[in-house]
Amino acid sequence: MPTPAKSIGLQLIDGNKNHRTKEEIDKRIKNENRLKMSAENIHPPSWLDKTAKKEFNRITALLLEIDLINDADIAHLALYCDSYSQYLSYKRQVKKKGLWVDNKPNPFILRMKDAAIQMRSFGADLGLSPAARAKLAINLSSNDENEDEEF
């Protein structure tokens, strides 16, 4: 299975493993800048509930500080926030009814697990997991060491 395409910025953070020339890098930067999207209309979709909208606004503020999202990421972030809201709702049901209902495991436990899996998947894509941030930090520090070198 081929690896997903990375922006030239991420490739350089990873150490220019493809050994691109300065000209190739400049061309790629120019092409990526032509495709750059706005981050000026990031608002929670109307279909999100109150809890999800609050989380959407909280996460948006954090991700915009480091230019990690743009307008094209709204749906992905909204799905993360919807899963978050569902998780909390299921958690309240488990707390209210207990771990067992009619001598059977509470069905909301399985729903909590599913919502957590969705949150983890969407969150990793958005850079919200500790592992995703650690990987970015390691790659950024590697790039900082090579900052003065020519391409």
Side-chain angles (χ1 to χ4, degrees):
M1 176 183 241
T3 57
K6 290 182 183 179
S7 71
I8 192 65
L10 286 176
Q11 289 180 27
L12 293 175
I13 288 171
D14 279 341
N16 194 13
K17 294 176 183 170
N18 294 330
H19 305 289
R20 297 194 191 283
T21 65
K22 175 95 168 104
E23 292 77 25
E24 290 172 324
I25 292 169
D26 289 342
K27 182 178 178 183
R28 180 75 180 265
I29 290 171
K30 181 180 175 185
N31 288 340
E32 287 181 10
N33 284 336
R34 287 179 47 211
L35 297 172
K36 192 168 183 169
M37 295 181 196
S38 165
E40 305 207 359
N41 297 305
I42 300 177
H43 306 289
S46 60
W47 53 267
L48 289 177
D49 65 21
K50 182 180 174 182
T51 301
K53 284 180 181 178
K54 185 176 177 181
E55 181 68 357
F56 186 99
N57 290 326
R58 185 183 78 81
I59 297 294
T60 296
L62 295 171
L63 296 176
L64 284 174
E65 279 182 29
I66 55 174
D67 293 328
L68 201 54
I69 60 170
N70 60 45
D71 293 345
D73 301 315
I74 292 172
H76 202 85
L77 179 57
L79 289 170
Y80 168 84
C81 295
D82 190 47
S83 298
Y84 171 81
S85 178
Q86 288 175 12
Y87 179 88
L88 293 179
S89 175
Y90 301 148
K91 181 79 172 167
R92 284 189 295 274
Q93 290 297 321
V94 169
K95 188 174 181 180
K96 179 180 175 182
K97 298 184 187 244
L99 296 176
W100 296 89
V101 177
D102 297 328
N103 294 325
K104 296 178 187 173
N106 188 329
F108 285 104
I109 294 172
L110 184 57
R111 291 182 182 161
M112 274 177 53
K113 178 183 172 191
D114 291 341
I117 289 169
Q118 288 178 332
M119 285 174 54
R120 184 177 178 149
S121 176
F122 291 128
D125 290 345
L126 292 164
L128 300 179
S129 72
R133 286 191 308 278
K135 182 177 179 183
L136 287 173
I138 290 167
N139 290 334
L140 280 174
S141 64
S142 298
N143 191 46
D144 289 345
E145 292 168 5
N146 298 328
E147 200 171 83
D148 295 330
E149 294 180 14
E150 279 294 314
F151 295 109

